[in-house]
Amino acid sequence: MATTLEFPGFLDVHVHFRDPGVPEAETTLSGLAAASKGGFAAVVTMPNTSPACDSPDALRRQIELSVGSVTRLFPSACITKGRLGREVADLESLAEAGAAFFTDDGSYVSDPKVMESAMARSAELGMCICQHAVDPLIQAGGVVRECSFAKRFGLKVIPAAAEYEAIRRDLSLCRETGCRLHIQHISTAEGVELVRSAQREGLPVSAEATPHHLLLSCDELTVDDANFKMAPPLGNAEDRAELRRAVKDGVLMFATDHAPHPAATKSHGFASGANGIIGLETAIPITYAVMVEQEGMRVEDWAKAWWDMPRGLLAPGLRNAALGLASTVVEVGVRRAVSVADFVSLSRNCPYDGMEFECWPREVR
Ligand SMILES: [Zn+2]
């Protein structure tokens, strides 16, 4: 028998709408429609559009495009000008124009001096800095974690240290500056342990786990399909187990990293395929199946990782707006298969077609 549950509006703090840039992959409006259908009352868009969202005008444009949508859009803005990692953006003006938080997502801010200056200024503003914690020098062109699949297809391996060394550096900057820090799409057991102990220490640190890092692992990869290619890449079974434990313990929140791409960029296999998959229309079914059904998480705690914890990332000026969000209604106990053909997202890069789940978004109201 189906049960209907209603929660404060779910907030996805990590989505890519390709607007401006690649509107055939996702526009602001198609992305918001996918979010509403997926059960999200609000989303935070990433600034790696083309051009990058590093100006008040670019922020205002996104906010204007979303007027009238049942799902609210809170745009984030760049940490550095053009997301180039060299010069800190005008964080004060960006905060004033309504930035949700600051991130150069897709790129790690490598220069510690630049990151330190950004975190000091961000702390003054009471704003959160979110980091794509993958050090490109350690990554060295790697596309997949060490696994039998990597060997079989001769793919370059990315060491776990690319993530945890980046996290370690940022935690020390967090300790120095007092800036609120959030680690995006965490994927390694070592990285989770660093976040866990930093929270114990009392540092203002959080991190997010994506549905794909919670559901899948590189140990299970068998086919050369770029729909399993993400940045950071899928962890191994131990990483996945640690991510699940940390979500259950309230250390991690959820976020999708919804990353639409045109079909052509995903059709040439793993080595050259684009990174990322769409996630808005499957996030609720997957996280419920993994965390509530398989890991025994309480439904209320599962829901909080989608609504309560993500609100803590928003700029102080937006927290009141978050109080007025619509609510999220889900239905549990209706077994249904994912049908990618029925997605309202403009993209189809999703590895879950045909998979069956028990919990589905019903409406945002
Ligand atoms: Zn990222």
Side-chain angles (χ1 to χ4, degrees):
M1 222 194 49
T3 317
T4 300
L5 302 171
E6 182 164 350
F7 303 103
F10 284 11
L11 163 60
D12 183 356
V13 292
H14 196 141
V15 305
H16 297 271
F17 297 163
R18 310 301 192 186
D19 187 1
V22 194
E24 66 273 27
E26 203 80 284
T27 64
T28 301
L29 290 182
S30 69
L32 285 169
S36 298
K37 187 165 170 235
F40 290 96
V43 294
V44 177
T45 46
M46 293 298 104
N48 49 347
T49 45
S50 182
C53 185
D54 64 357
S55 71
D57 279 349
L59 278 171
R60 283 191 281 267
R61 176 184 173 272
Q62 283 196 55
I63 295 167
E64 277 159 23
L65 281 172
S66 70
V67 168
S69 166
V70 59
T71 295
R72 282 287 302 263
L73 184 152
F74 301 118
S76 69
C78 295
I79 300 172
T80 66
K81 288 185 183 165
R83 287 178 56 252
L84 297 172
R86 291 200 280 268
E87 196 184 339
V88 180
D90 184 353
L91 304 186
E92 293 73 15
S93 303
L94 293 167
E96 175 85 35
F101 50 68
F102 304 118
T103 174
D104 274 2
D105 185 43
S107 301
Y108 173 61
V109 182
S110 292
D111 186 335
K113 286 271 170 272
V114 171
M115 190 63 175
E116 183 183 356
S117 157
M119 287 179 80
R121 284 166 61 183
S122 197
E124 285 284 312
L125 295 163
M127 299 275 289
C128 179
I129 291 249
C130 299
Q131 177 74 287
H132 174 103
V134 182
D135 185 330
L137 290 178
I138 305 176
Q139 177 174 9
V143 294
V144 66
R145 293 280 302 284
E146 186 159 16
C147 56
S148 56
F149 172 77
K151 278 199 195 81
R152 202 172 126 213
F153 289 91
L155 297 168
K156 195 140 197 260
V157 163
I158 169 171
E163 178 177 277
Y164 66 73
E165 290 300 348
I167 294 175
R168 201 193 305 277
R169 187 206 70 181
D170 283 354
L171 288 175
S172 77
L173 294 176
C174 171
R175 204 173 282 118
E176 241 169 75
T177 60
C179 180
R180 173 85 173 76
L181 173 70
H182 179 75
I183 305 300
Q184 297 173 297
H185 41 53
I186 198 164
S187 67
T188 63
E190 295 92 334
V192 172
E193 185 45 44
L194 286 171
V195 169
R196 199 189 275 276
S197 66
Q199 288 181 350
R200 257 191 243 121
E201 183 190 332
L203 293 180
V205 175
S206 57
E208 70 198 25
T210 70
H212 46 274
H213 288 108
L214 289 165
L215 179 70
L216 307 170
S217 92
C218 61
D219 299 326
E220 293 159 358
L221 293 176
T222 51
V223 286
D224 188 17
D225 177 354
N227 276 333
F228 294 99
K229 185 181 181 189
M230 325 42 203
L234 296 173
N236 57 36
E238 286 100 84
D239 295 313
R240 180 177 60 184
E242 182 54 30
L243 286 179
R244 291 179 176 199
R245 250 193 308 278
V247 170
K248 200 172 172 187
D249 293 346
V251 172
L252 304 179
M253 65 185 78
F254 299 124
T256 63
D257 195 4
H258 177 80
H261 289 292
T265 67
K266 283 295 217 180
S267 57
H268 300 295
F270 221 89
S272 62
N275 282 314
I277 56 172
I278 52 173
L280 281 165
E281 293 172 73
T282 49
I284 286 179
I286 290 174
T287 55
Y288 185 93
V290 168
M291 294 311 307
V292 179
E293 290 171 19
Q294 293 180 35
E295 300 295 331
M297 192 175 187
R298 290 181 349 131
V299 175
E300 296 74 25
D301 295 335
W302 163 77
K304 277 188 175 173
W306 274 124
W307 72 266
D308 187 35
M309 298 169 77
R311 278 164 171 69
L313 301 193
L314 295 178
L318 297 177
R319 297 208 188 122
N320 272 343
L323 292 175
L325 292 178
S327 50
T328 290
V329 182
V330 306
E331 205 163 42
V332 181
V334 267
R335 194 152 190 86
R336 234 172 58 210
V338 173
S339 171
V340 172
D342 296 330
F343 282 178
V344 299
S345 168
L346 294 182
S347 287
R348 295 288 177 266
N349 52 311
C350 167
Y352 310 125
D353 198 34
M355 287 178 72
E356 292 191 356
F357 297 99
E358 293 267 349
C359 172
W360 291 90
R362 189 161 140 173
E363 62 178 323
V364 174
R365 68 176 178 212

